[in-house]
Coordinates of all heavy atoms in Angstrom, one line a residue:
Q146 N -4.4 -3.6 61.0 CA -5.2 -2.4 61.4 C -4.4 -1.3 61.9 O -4.7 -0.1 61.6 CB -6.2 -2.9 62.5 CG -7.2 -1.8 62.8 CD -8.0 -1.3 61.6 OE1 -8.6 -2.1 60.9 NE2 -8.0 0.0 61.4
Q147 N -3.3 -1.6 62.6 CA -2.4 -0.5 63.1 C -1.7 0.2 61.9 O -1.6 1.4 61.9 CB -1.3 -1.1 64.0 CG -0.3 0.0 64.5 CD -1.1 1.0 65.4 OE1 -1.8 0.7 66.3 NE2 -0.9 2.3 65.0
D148 N -1.4 -0.6 60.8 CA -0.8 0.0 59.6 C -1.9 1.0 59.0 O -1.5 2.1 58.5 CB -0.4 -1.0 58.6 CG 0.8 -1.8 59.0 OD1 1.7 -1.2 59.6 OD2 0.8 -3.0 58.8
K149 N -3.1 0.5 59.0 CA -4.1 1.3 58.4 C -4.4 2.6 59.2 O -4.5 3.7 58.6 CB -5.4 0.5 58.3 CG -5.4 -0.6 57.3 CD -6.7 -1.4 57.3 CE -6.5 -2.6 56.3 NZ -7.8 -3.4 56.2
D150 N -4.3 2.5 60.5 CA -4.4 3.7 61.4 C -3.3 4.6 61.1 O -3.5 5.9 61.1 CB -4.5 3.3 62.8 CG -5.7 2.5 63.2 OD1 -6.7 2.6 62.5 OD2 -5.7 1.8 64.3
D151 N -2.1 4.1 60.9 CA -0.9 4.9 60.6 C -1.1 5.6 59.3 O -0.7 6.8 59.2 CB 0.4 4.0 60.6 CG 0.8 3.5 62.0 OD1 0.2 4.0 63.0 OD2 1.6 2.6 62.0
L152 N -1.6 5.0 58.3 CA -1.9 5.6 57.0 C -2.9 6.7 57.1 O -2.7 7.8 56.5 CB -2.4 4.6 56.0 CG -1.3 3.6 55.4 CD1 -2.0 2.5 54.6 CD2 -0.3 4.3 54.6
I153 N -3.9 6.5 57.9 CA -4.9 7.6 58.1 C -4.2 8.8 58.7 O -4.4 10.0 58.3 CB -6.0 7.1 59.0 CG1 -6.9 6.0 58.3 CG2 -6.9 8.3 59.5 CD1 -7.9 5.4 59.2
A154 N -3.3 8.6 59.7 CA -2.6 9.7 60.4 C -1.6 10.4 59.4 O -1.5 11.6 59.4 CB -1.9 9.1 61.6
V155 N -1.0 9.6 58.6 CA 0.0 10.2 57.6 C -0.7 11.1 56.6 O -0.3 12.2 56.3 CB 0.7 9.1 56.9 CG1 1.5 9.6 55.6 CG2 1.7 8.4 57.8
V156 N -1.8 10.6 56.1 CA -2.6 11.4 55.1 C -3.1 12.7 55.8 O -3.1 13.8 55.2 CB -3.8 10.6 54.5 CG1 -4.7 11.4 53.7 CG2 -3.2 9.4 53.7
K157 N -3.6 12.6 57.0 CA -4.1 13.7 57.7 C -3.0 14.7 58.0 O -3.2 16.0 57.8 CB -4.8 13.3 59.0 CG -5.6 14.4 59.7 CD -6.3 13.8 61.0 CE -7.2 12.7 60.7 NZ -8.0 12.3 61.9
H158 N -1.8 14.2 58.3 CA -0.7 15.1 58.6 C -0.1 15.8 57.3 O 0.1 17.0 57.3 CB 0.4 14.4 59.3 CG 1.7 15.1 59.5 ND1 1.8 16.2 60.4 CD2 2.9 15.1 58.8 CE1 3.0 16.7 60.3 NE2 3.7 16.0 59.4
E159 N 0.1 15.0 56.3 CA 0.7 15.5 55.0 C -0.3 16.3 54.1 O 0.1 17.2 53.5 CB 1.4 14.4 54.3 CG 2.6 13.8 55.0 CD 3.4 12.9 54.1 OE1 3.0 12.7 52.9 OE2 4.4 12.4 54.5
D160 N -1.5 15.8 54.1 CA -2.4 16.4 53.1 C -3.6 17.1 53.7 O -4.4 17.7 53.0 CB -2.9 15.3 52.2 CG -1.8 14.6 51.4 OD1 -1.4 15.2 50.4 OD2 -1.3 13.5 51.8
G161 N -3.8 16.9 55.0 CA -4.9 17.6 55.7 C -6.2 16.9 55.4 O -7.3 17.5 55.7
I162 N -6.2 15.7 54.9 CA -7.4 15.0 54.5 C -7.7 13.9 55.5 O -6.9 13.1 55.8 CB -7.3 14.3 53.1 CG1 -7.0 15.4 52.0 CG2 -8.5 13.5 52.7 CD1 -6.6 14.8 50.7
D163 N -9.0 13.9 56.0 CA -9.4 12.9 56.9 C -10.2 11.8 56.1 O -11.4 12.0 55.8 CB -10.3 13.5 58.0 CG -10.7 12.5 59.1 OD1 -10.5 11.3 58.9 OD2 -11.3 12.9 60.1
L164 N -9.5 10.8 55.8 CA -10.2 9.7 54.9 C -11.3 9.0 55.7 O -12.0 8.2 55.0 CB -9.1 8.8 54.4 CG -8.2 9.3 53.3 CD1 -7.1 8.3 53.0 CD2 -9.0 9.8 52.1
E165 N -11.4 9.2 56.9 CA -12.5 8.6 57.7 C -13.8 9.4 57.5 O -14.9 9.0 57.8 CB -12.2 8.4 59.1 CG -11.1 7.4 59.4 CD -10.8 7.2 60.9 OE1 -10.4 8.2 61.5 OE2 -11.0 6.1 61.4
Q166 N -13.6 10.7 57.0 CA -14.7 11.6 56.9 C -15.1 11.9 55.5 O -16.2 12.3 55.2 CB -14.4 12.9 57.7 CG -14.2 12.7 59.1 CD -15.4 12.2 59.9 OE1 -16.5 12.6 59.6 NE2 -15.1 11.3 60.8
I167 N -14.1 11.8 54.6 CA -14.4 12.2 53.2 C -13.7 11.2 52.2 O -12.6 10.6 52.6 CB -13.9 13.6 52.9 CG1 -14.4 14.1 51.5 CG2 -12.3 13.7 53.0 CD1 -14.1 15.6 51.3
S168 N -14.3 11.0 51.1 CA -13.7 10.1 50.1 C -12.9 10.9 49.0 O -13.2 12.0 48.7 CB -14.8 9.3 49.4 OG -14.3 8.6 48.3

Side-chain angles (χ1 to χ4, degrees):
Q146 185 57 52
Q147 182 60 55
D148 290 321
K149 294 178 182 182
D150 292 341
D151 290 345
L152 285 171
I153 291 172
V155 166
V156 171
K157 193 177 296 185
H158 173 72
E159 291 194 359
D160 300 279
I162 299 171
D163 186 349
L164 288 176
E165 293 183 299
Q166 300 297 322
I167 192 170
S168 171

